[in-house]
Amino acid sequence: PTAHRSPPTTTSTKQIAAMMREFTFDRYRLDIAKFAFQSCVDPENYFMLTQAFTFDSNARELMRYIR
């Protein structure tokens, strides 16, 4: 029998933003944003996630990570 392979999970920037809003602390939001980047279907919109942070330093760290 052949092994069944499921397609890779893909997530939009909008969906990732919704996940980030579930967390109170920026540190967790940043962790989610970094983790989800590899499965993002519209990475050209990822900069929009910087608005989800309370602190600019976390937004800058995300931008450095995705470059």
Side-chain angles (χ1 to χ4, degrees):
T2 0
H4 175 70
R5 291 176 47 147
S6 53
T9 304
T10 52
T11 315
S12 71
T13 298
K14 186 176 180 179
Q15 291 170 313
I16 295 165
M19 283 189 282
M20 290 172 68
R21 284 192 295 272
E22 296 295 317
F23 293 90
T24 305
F25 298 107
D26 263 12
R27 185 75 225 163
Y28 300 133
R29 291 177 183 155
L30 182 59
D31 289 344
I32 288 293
K34 286 179 173 182
F35 179 78
F37 182 67
Q38 64 191 355
S39 66
C40 184
V41 295
D42 57 342
E44 67 277 3
N45 295 325
Y46 224 69
F47 71 94
M48 296 168 58
L49 296 180
T50 60
Q51 299 170 20
F53 295 106
T54 303
F55 300 105
D56 290 340
S57 58
N58 290 311
R60 286 191 302 271
E61 186 174 340
L62 177 61
M63 292 310 294
R64 277 193 302 272
Y65 179 82
I66 65 174
R67 287 188 185 149

